[in-house]
Amino acid sequence: MLTRIDHIGIACRDLDATVEFYRATYGFEVFHTEVNEEQGVREAMLRINGTDDGGASYLQLLEPTREDSAVGKWLAKNGEGVHHIAFGTADVDGDAEAIRGKGVRVLYEEPRIGSMGSRITFLHPKDCHGVLTELVTSAETPPAH
Amino acid sequence: MLTRIDHIGIACRDLDATVEFYRATYGFEVFHTEVNEEQGVREAMLRINGTDDGGASYLQLLEPTREDSAVGKWLAKNGEGVHHIAFGTADVDGDAEAIRGKGVRVLYEEPRIGSMGSRITFLHPKDCHGVLTELVTSAETPPAH
């Protein structure tokens, strides 16, 4: 069961400049940064608010570490902007299976590691009215089963 | 001060079909629907979670009511997908003025009426690293001044 907007993933060319834009314009501060070599991104998480399922909503700023990564290719085609949206769940495995059973393409056979040790998967944007959609179970969320 | 992700605005060609996708796939239900003639959209708000500032986060599904509306033109160029993101604030007037003072273009001289009687304005995407960004003060939020 999806219980929150976990984050909005935003592709950018220069992570440091984009972090500075969000700080200077809105006062948003960096909560966490990391490099995810598998995804080919350097990223910053900006925590915006807490949510009533005990989690939080973030902006996830993504700079590709290589041009042939998924975000690198997307950026070359689309320019900077919203790359994906993510919903939080206590059970990414169960939800991904249920959604796969409804005929929506799930991009990973098994969830992979996302930001801050979370477990994530993605749904095909062509099956989701044009929206690349991620499902996330946070590392700190107890498993639902 | 921006205190939550208020909503993610998603442009779609067929509102009823898109509402049904979100219901059937994730169990998200329609919280509110309306037509905003000024914006040229028919829309549905799906409430996803409550937020720790006393508000909530929504998906806002937007179908243009005419091809020459902002969303209609965007859809013709980009296809279905994420159209904008919105941050909630208790004081859209004060925040818009402060952000204008930092050199970011604010698209309306004064806030206009958005979903559910809220007061809204938009920031120019070219000044926001490619992200069309909305500021929202909900109708039920007491003014900050």
Side-chain angles (χ1 to χ4, degrees), chain A residues 5 21 24 49-50 52 102 127, chain B residues 5 21 24 49-50 52 102 127:
Chain A
I5 294 177
F21 165 79
N49 58 265
D52 60 2
K102 293 172 184 176
D127 293 346
Chain B
I5 295 177
F21 166 79
N49 58 265
D52 60 2
K102 293 172 185 178
D127 294 347

Side-chain angles (χ1 to χ4, degrees), chain A residues 52-136:
Chain A
D52 60 2
D53 65 350
S57 294
Y58 301 85
L59 297 187
Q60 180 187 52
L61 307 178
L62 300 160
E63 180 195 284
T65 56
R66 47 180 199 267
E67 287 183 9
D68 67 346
S69 64
V71 172
K73 286 189 243 180
W74 188 90
L75 200 50
K77 182 179 173 191
N78 299 284
E80 294 187 314
V82 177
H83 175 260
H84 68 271
I85 68 174
F87 298 111
T89 166
D91 179 18
V92 64
D93 300 83
D95 285 341
E97 267 319 292
I99 289 168
R100 198 194 302 269
K102 293 172 184 176
V104 173
R105 281 169 285 180
V106 178
L107 299 189
Y108 302 153
E109 192 61 38
E110 297 289 334
R112 298 184 187 176
I113 300 300
S115 302
M116 304 188 284
S118 62
R119 298 179 65 248
I120 65 170
T121 197
F122 286 93
L123 311 181
H124 199 300
K126 289 195 178 167
D127 293 346
C128 299
H129 288 269
V131 178
L132 177 59
T133 303
E134 180 181 343
L135 310 181
V136 183

Side-chain angles (χ1 to χ4, degrees), chain B residues 52-100:
Chain B
D52 60 2
D53 65 349
S57 294
Y58 301 86
L59 297 188
Q60 180 187 53
L61 307 179
L62 300 160
E63 178 194 287
T65 56
R66 48 180 199 269
E67 288 184 7
D68 68 345
S69 64
V71 172
K73 286 189 242 181
W74 188 91
L75 200 51
K77 182 178 173 192
N78 299 283
E80 293 187 315
V82 176
H83 175 261
H84 68 272
I85 68 174
F87 298 111
T89 167
D91 179 19
V92 63
D93 300 83
D95 285 341
E97 267 318 293
I99 289 168
R100 197 194 303 268

Side-chain angles (χ1 to χ4, degrees), chain A residues 2-3 87, chain B residues 19 22-24 26-30 46-48 59:
Chain A
L2 311 184
T3 54
F87 298 111
Chain B
V19 162
Y22 279 97
R23 191 201 61 72
Y26 308 123
F28 297 157
E29 299 287 348
V30 172
L46 313 183
R47 187 183 185 282
I48 310 302
L59 297 188

Side-chain angles (χ1 to χ4, degrees), chain B residues 96-97 99-100 104-109 121-124 127:
Chain B
E97 267 318 293
I99 289 168
R100 197 194 303 268
V104 173
R105 283 169 283 179
V106 178
L107 299 189
Y108 303 153
E109 193 62 37
T121 196
F122 286 92
L123 311 180
H124 198 300
D127 294 347

Side-chain angles (χ1 to χ4, degrees), chain B residues 34-37 39-43 62-65 69 71:
Chain B
E34 67 182 269
V35 175
N36 186 321
E37 291 292 0
Q39 302 280 344
V41 291
R42 190 162 81 92
E43 63 176 67
L62 300 160
E63 178 194 287
T65 56
S69 64
V71 172

